[in-house]
Amino acid sequence: MKVADRLNAAKKHIESGNFAEARKINASILAARPQNTAALLQASRLEGLSGRYRLAREYALKALASRTGHESGGAAFLLRRLQAFNLGGEAMALIDVLEATPGIAPPLYDAIGTVLNQLNQPERALQAIDKGLALAPEAIELKLTRAHTLVFLGRFDEAEREMDACMRRVPEIGFGWWTLSRLRKQRPDANHVDALRAQISQSGHNPANLAFLAYALHKELDDLGDYEGATKALDMACRAKRSQLNYSDAETTQLFAKLRAMTVNATIQSEAGTRTPIFIVGMHRSGTTLLEQMLDGHSKVRGLGELYEFTAQMRLATDHWCKGVVDATLIERAQSLDYAAIGKGYLDSVAWRCGQEPYFVDKLPSNFLNIGFICQALPQAKILHMVRDPMESCFSNLRELFSDNTNQYSYNQNELATFFAAYEGLMAHWHRAFPGRIHDVSYSALTRDPETTLRTASAFCGLDFEPDMLALEASSRGVTTASAVQVRQGVVALDKPRWAPYATYLAPLGDALRHARRQTWGAPSPGA
């Protein structure tokens, strides 16, 4: 049997869940051809699905070392495998080689652009996408990726024109309408409400596409002040997204309990001369992007965006591929690790992103789950915790469409309230376990009195305040998070919370929050 046929046979066994037979076939290929890139990549996927993180990572690196040629499918898959292990430096090096090689096909440029965006490199992503479009001017995948990249770069008018043209060609793609809805405030004379309703009325939508369409409709009706219609659209969107997920309140409760029960060493001393990470943590949609943009305006700080590199080091140390930032198995295996090695591995893994600045910002909000590990691995790290009003924070999560593996609790009001109360309880625990290591930053104070709030946060980090930290409009830095549009609007302090027009619909959320926080804190609860 030819190698290609054997590879396909192993692939079918992987897809059917017969890992033992797939491993047997793939091993036979590698025994005869140890440098076969396709077999190495398939081995990486197989071992990853089997939960063997280190071996899967090792196979990905072997595939990178053995790779020849630049066939689109193989190179694109290799890029995705490197990104799966947060091997950003290696992915960038491969992209350098690919872009210097003549004959790249347009689909590979699309893959390169997508990975560059994931690596918080939207400027370079746009360059790659434009090279692909020069070869295939009508390639809709490249056009969609280009429009999305323009959003990250803050070029909203261009992004709207690009995406609008795409929607005229492929009006069934909900992602495009969702992007369009977010690029500006919709007006009575310029909106997509009728088009969205027409698309939603058509049968045959899968839940993922329906969620995009319904979230877009909610956003546009909210802009237009039609809160009754926006409420119905939001409810439709949440139901569609929740139907795709296998989320358990009980598992989350157990996870947080395991984190609180961990034995930690809170007395590790700082290492002199090492670069200082600033972790910004908290609930998603709590203002973490705004704070990072402000800190990035400091001459000694470089903002790196949302990074999963610390979780990647924990996965490597525990030899476990967790679906989210942490899971129960990772916590159980983390009791006897070399945290100094984890800290060094983390700093090494982000070094390619850093410049000459002695500080950098990692603003992945869900790193609040990793604080017990971060404080032991990186004694020099500064942790800024964004704190926002519970209802404002929860409503902002409820009306945001996240990726499949992120914030699965945020599409049901009761589940969202339970998670928020558990998050608050865990943060209180980290404050007790690591006194003086975490500084709370109020979102309300940051928007109403940004200079005073920044001065205090800067001093906590060992920095002097600089006026350029307030000059958000001067920043040309790409933003590749859900706040890409909002943060460009500068500091906005609202007189009335955004959730106020939805008070009736959100009554279950308010009741659930009070109940969940009472169980966590007793009465009265903080901020109640």
Side-chain angles (χ1 to χ4, degrees), residues 288-309:
T288 56
T289 300
L290 175 62
L291 180 58
E292 185 206 21
Q293 286 286 94
M294 290 176 162
L295 289 172
D296 184 70
H298 197 288
S299 61
K300 294 183 178 180
V301 180
R302 173 169 294 201
L304 300 185
E306 295 184 357
L307 308 181
Y308 283 85
E309 268 78 350

Side-chain angles (χ1 to χ4, degrees), residues 140 143 160-170:
I140 191 64
K143 286 182 173 292
E160 184 172 11
R161 289 194 297 271
E162 291 266 7
M163 192 61 79
D164 189 64
C166 289
M167 290 301 93
R168 287 196 293 271
R169 289 179 56 187
V170 285

Side-chain angles (χ1 to χ4, degrees), residues 3 7 26 29-30 33 35-44 59 63:
V3 171
L7 284 167
N26 214 67
I29 298 172
L30 289 173
R33 299 170 181 261
Q35 301 300 312
N36 185 287
T37 305
L40 289 167
L41 284 172
Q42 189 152 265
S44 176
Y59 274 125

Side-chain angles (χ1 to χ4, degrees), residues 270-515:
S270 298
E271 297 179 20
T274 56
R275 186 179 276 116
T276 301
I278 301 174
F279 289 89
I280 302 178
V281 304
M283 288 287 289
H284 279 82
R285 311 296 297 152
S286 62
T288 56
T289 300
L290 175 62
L291 180 58
E292 185 206 21
Q293 286 286 94
M294 290 176 162
L295 289 172
D296 184 70
H298 197 288
S299 61
K300 294 183 178 180
V301 180
R302 173 169 294 201
L304 300 185
E306 295 184 357
L307 308 181
Y308 283 85
E309 268 78 350
F310 191 86
T311 282
Q313 291 302 311
M314 291 301 297
R315 290 170 176 169
L316 183 61
T318 58
D319 193 20
H320 174 65
W321 194 316
C322 57
K323 187 175 183 181
V325 173
V326 299
D327 68 4
T329 301
L330 186 145
I331 295 169
E332 290 167 3
R333 295 184 182 183
Q335 297 301 312
S336 57
L337 298 178
D338 183 348
Y339 280 99
I342 292 170
K344 182 179 184 303
Y346 169 78
L347 293 174
D348 288 345
S349 70
V350 302
W352 69 272
R353 300 175 183 266
C354 298
Q356 297 302 311
E357 298 89 346
Y359 290 77
F360 68 88
V361 179
D362 180 339
K363 63 136 299 217
L364 181 67
S366 50
N367 264 330
F368 78 85
L369 295 164
N370 275 325
I371 286 177
F373 309 130
I374 289 171
C375 286
Q376 296 178 92
L378 295 160
Q380 75 274 31
K382 309 298 181 181
I383 301 173
L384 299 177
H385 170 220
M386 286 300 305
V387 180
R388 192 177 184 186
D389 174 82
M391 279 295 290
E392 291 181 14
S393 180
C394 287
F395 178 59
S396 191
N397 273 264
L398 191 71
R399 67 198 301 250
E400 183 64 56
L401 181 56
F402 297 98
S403 61
D404 288 344
N405 291 330
T406 305
N407 295 16
Q408 295 191 351
Y409 54 81
S410 66
Y411 306 102
N412 174 282
Q413 294 188 35
N414 289 321
E415 292 171 345
L416 178 53
T418 299
F419 186 92
F420 185 89
Y423 140 77
E424 280 190 317
L426 182 60
M427 285 307 305
H429 168 75
W430 292 142
H431 271 293
R432 292 190 297 269
F434 301 101
R437 295 294 308 275
I438 305 164
H439 174 70
D440 290 344
V441 179
S442 164
Y443 176 76
S444 176
L446 185 64
T447 56
R448 296 184 185 280
D449 187 2
E451 181 173 339
T452 299
T453 307
L454 276 176
R455 284 183 180 277
T456 305
S458 297
F460 172 81
C461 294
L463 294 164
D464 294 326
F465 172 78
E466 294 181 357
D468 284 350
M469 299 169 73
L470 297 173
L472 289 178
E473 70 282 355
S475 175
S476 60
R477 175 174 170 265
V479 180
T480 58
T481 72
S483 302
V485 176
Q486 184 179 355
V487 77
R488 305 281 184 183
Q489 299 169 355
V491 180
V492 179
L494 300 177
D495 293 328
K496 185 171 72 170
R498 294 190 186 278
W499 61 267
Y502 302 90
T504 301
Y505 173 65
L506 296 174
L509 174 61
D511 291 342
L513 270 172
R514 284 186 288 273
H515 175 72

